[in-house]
Amino acid sequence: MGMAAADLQFHVLAVDDSLIDRKLIERLFKISSCQVTTVDSGSKALEFLGLQEEHDEQNHPCVSPSNQQEVEINLIITDYCMPGMTGYDLLKKIKESASLRNIPVVIMSSENVPSRISRCLEEGAEEFFLKPVRLSDVNKLKPHMMKTKCKSPKQQQQQQEAEIIVTQDNQESIGTTYVVTSQQNQESIDTTYVVPSQENQDSDNIVQQQKSQDNKRKSIEENLSPDRTRQRLSSLTTV
């Protein structure tokens, strides 16, 4: 029973630079029987998720996988206004990661700015909450967390690879079906033309025989015509 309860528990990563807000979020999610991990910045959130910020030669930050052990996270809830990396920047980096993009992300803010809300939702955020977050808001997030339960990043990658293989197999089977059908159609067409042609030959032979008989009759009638008879009698008279 203990193992089953642990399997059904959700793990939430809460990101906020305010200690009071972090404590409030942690308390609300624990009331909903969730495990909660809190960090105070976007860079620490990326580090916890197995990503770390690095700088290239031109001092442009980028995100790359670290060697940290993978942790299953079912939801990320982050404040929008934070020093260094905002919640919107954190959202973009998560959605750009192949291994993390399927984790639901929720943005929260104390300021009701419609353009900010629209931008976060267009980037892939599941919800945008106004502070203070309430227990009713937390209850709305359970369906989003259910989508990722028992699906670690490795399992999600394996599922995507399996879907690609199945798609390729379906394409191959479709191609084979078309080949078999075309061969069957060709054989049926050939057979259809062969059978009527033999019958036509027999009917042609009968017609030709009738024509030959008619020709013979005509020749006999011509030989028995009055002109020919007169010529024969005239010759006999002369003799």
Side-chain angles (χ1 to χ4, degrees), residues 8 54 124 126 141 148 153 156 159 188 212:
L8 293 175
E54 295 180 351
E126 301 292 340
L141 302 178
T148 60
Q156 291 173 0
Q159 182 179 2
S188 62
S212 62

Side-chain angles (χ1 to χ4, degrees), residues 80 87-97 101 103 105 107 115-126:
Y80 184 91
Y88 177 75
D89 296 331
L90 177 60
L91 169 67
K92 288 183 63 177
K93 292 184 182 297
I94 291 172
K95 295 305 177 181
E96 290 171 357
S97 172
R101 66 180 59 169
I103 300 177
V105 180
I107 308 293
S115 60
R116 178 184 297 176
I117 297 172
S118 299
R119 185 171 59 171
C120 291
L121 295 176
E122 289 174 358
E123 190 63 34
E126 301 292 340

Side-chain angles (χ1 to χ4, degrees), residues 5-23:
D7 292 338
L8 293 175
Q9 191 176 36
F10 299 113
H11 191 178
V12 178
L13 175 62
V15 188
D16 201 317
D17 60 319
S18 170
L19 177 61
I20 296 175
D21 288 337
R22 289 200 306 272
K23 292 294 184 182

Side-chain angles (χ1 to χ4, degrees), residues 12 14 19-38 77:
V12 178
L19 177 61
I20 296 175
D21 288 337
R22 289 200 306 272
K23 292 294 184 182
L24 174 61
I25 292 296
E26 182 178 7
R27 180 169 176 269
L28 290 175
F29 276 99
K30 284 189 175 180
I31 291 174
S32 299
S33 302
C34 294
Q35 179 185 353
V36 184
T37 299
T38 60
I77 183 167

Side-chain angles (χ1 to χ4, degrees), residues 223-237:
N223 291 330
L224 296 176
S225 63
D227 294 337
R228 289 182 178 274
T229 305
R230 287 177 184 178
Q231 289 177 1
R232 288 179 183 177
L233 290 174
S234 62
S235 63
L236 288 174
T237 303

Side-chain angles (χ1 to χ4, degrees), residues 183-195:
Q183 291 178 352
Q184 290 177 350
N185 288 336
Q186 288 177 358
E187 292 176 357
S188 62
I189 290 170
D190 293 340
T191 306
T192 302
Y193 278 105
V194 168
V195 173

Side-chain angles (χ1 to χ4, degrees), residues 198-209:
Q198 292 177 355
E199 294 177 354
N200 289 335
Q201 287 178 359
D202 294 337
S203 62
D204 290 341
N205 291 333
I206 294 170
V207 172
Q208 288 177 0
Q209 290 176 2

